């Protein structure tokens, strides 16, 4: 079964660092882009950035450039989303999603990781 | 950045009725348009890609149309499980962008 499994919920304080993960299985991991998508409480989906595992090519939405870092570890078929210094406004659910090889549509989604940032 | 605009924000429909959702791109995206459904508390799932191709396992009551800048998602006969949020997304250019969503609620 093709799936993306994300790491569990996190509760952090402002200023702390955090890395959440997304592990792919059931397919050739390096062949598909993986994107990260933010959803704030009660709001819509925001595309943050994307990585191509085969060569680590990464591009970000201007809204998120410099705010987060996307990385990959091909040895364990896992991509990461990282913050160096969290803010309360980072409180959201974060999804990873796989792009189809033939198109750019996201055909597989992770279950989401809830991140709460509160003092 | 391509701006995706969905309308209406909320659509009130009775079960069994037809629903049509709209999505407009700020520039030509050809057919590089996907529709995703998100039920409360769940992850999104892909319904339509290439503007009109149903993803595997998606019921035939879902259909997509359009090209260029104007697109529609039609649900021919709403089932209870179809009451959810729907998002369009362009994948023509970086950054990929989503519409703000349409909520389909029970009338």
């Amino acid at each position: 079964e093709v799936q993306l499994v994300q790491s569990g919920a996190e509760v952090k304080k402002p200023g702390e660092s955090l890395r959440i993960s997304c592990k792919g299985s059931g397919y050739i991991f390096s062949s598909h882009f993986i994107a990260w998508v933010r959803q704030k409480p009660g709001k819509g989906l925001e595309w943050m950035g994307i990585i191509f595992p085969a060569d680590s090519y990464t591009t970000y939405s201007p809204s998120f450039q410099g705010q987060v870092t996307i990385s990959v570890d091909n040895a364990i078929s896992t991509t990461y989303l990282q913050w160096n210094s969290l803010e309360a406004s980072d409180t959201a659910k974060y999804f990873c999603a796989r792009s189809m090889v033939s198109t750019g549509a996201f055909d597989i989604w992770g279950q989401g990781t809830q991140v709460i940032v509160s003092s | 950045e391509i701006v995706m605009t969905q309308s209406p924000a909320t659509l009130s429909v009775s079960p069994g009725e037809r629903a049509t959702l709209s999505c407009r791109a700020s520039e030509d995206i050809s057919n590089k348009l996907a529709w995703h459904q998100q039920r409360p508390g769940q992850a999104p799932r892909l319904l339509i890609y290439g503007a009109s191709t149903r993803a595997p396992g998606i019921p035939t009551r879902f259909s997509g149309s359009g090209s260029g800048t104007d697109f529609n998602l039609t649900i021919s006969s709403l089932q209870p499980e179809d009451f959810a949020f729907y998002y369009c997304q362009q994948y023509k250019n970086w950054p990929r962008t989503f519409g703000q969503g349409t909520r389909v609620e029970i009338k």
Side-chain angles (χ1 to χ4, degrees):
Chain A
E1 179 191 4
V2 176
Q3 59 180 350
L4 297 174
V5 178
Q6 298 185 229
S7 50
E10 302 274 0
V11 180
K12 307 292 278 186
K13 289 181 167 48
E16 292 186 331
S17 63
L18 174 65
R19 189 177 77 167
I20 62 176
S21 66
C22 168
K23 181 176 176 62
S25 62
Y27 71 98
I28 301 173
F29 179 76
S30 60
S31 298
H32 294 255
F33 281 90
I34 297 285
W36 286 93
V37 175
R38 183 174 77 176
Q39 187 168 41
K40 290 192 167 187
K43 301 298 184 182
L45 304 173
E46 300 175 89
W47 189 90
M48 302 175 70
I50 199 165
I51 191 164
F52 189 57
D55 61 7
S56 296
Y57 169 81
T58 309
T59 187
Y60 297 89
S61 166
S63 300
F64 294 93
Q65 180 80 47
Q67 309 305 308
V68 297
T69 301
I70 297 172
S71 60
V72 65
D73 185 339
N74 279 298
I76 55 172
S77 302
T78 299
T79 60
Y80 301 97
L81 179 65
Q82 179 175 334
W83 295 260
N84 289 332
S85 181
L86 286 160
E87 302 176 359
S89 58
D90 295 316
T91 294
K93 196 161 193 177
Y94 294 87
F95 295 97
C96 60
R98 186 189 84 159
S99 277
M100 299 167 72
V101 170
S102 56
T103 75
F106 298 152
D107 63 339
I108 303 293
W109 290 76
Q111 82 277 19
T113 296
Q114 181 68 53
V115 173
I116 296 173
V117 184
S118 174
S119 55
Chain B
E1 167 172 325
I2 297 175
V3 177
M4 306 299 292
T5 303
Q6 292 185 240
S7 60
T10 303
L11 189 58
S12 299
V13 187
S14 298
E17 288 189 341
R18 180 187 190 93
T20 301
L21 291 64
S22 296
C23 175
R24 174 167 288 177
S26 61
E27 60 184 82
D28 189 338
I29 59 169
S30 183
N31 70 335
K32 308 297 185 187
L33 190 282
W35 289 95
H36 301 274
Q37 177 195 64
Q38 188 179 31
R39 295 173 177 145
Q42 296 187 15
R45 70 163 177 162
L46 177 66
L47 296 177
I48 300 285
Y49 64 95
S52 61
T53 303
R54 273 187 302 277
I58 300 303
T60 56
R61 64 181 180 272
F62 291 93
S63 63
S65 63
S67 67
T69 61
D70 291 299
F71 302 88
N72 287 329
L73 173 70
T74 300
I75 312 171
S76 61
S77 175
L78 273 151
Q79 301 301 300
E81 63 268 28
D82 300 336
F83 292 95
F85 285 88
Y86 293 83
Y87 297 93
C88 63
Q89 181 225 336
Q90 65 83 18
Y91 50 93
K92 174 87 166 31
N93 288 352
W94 306 115
R96 310 307 197 209
T97 44
F98 291 94
Q100 79 279 20
T102 291
R103 180 188 178 200
V104 176
E105 65 174 22
I106 299 175
K107 187 174 183 180

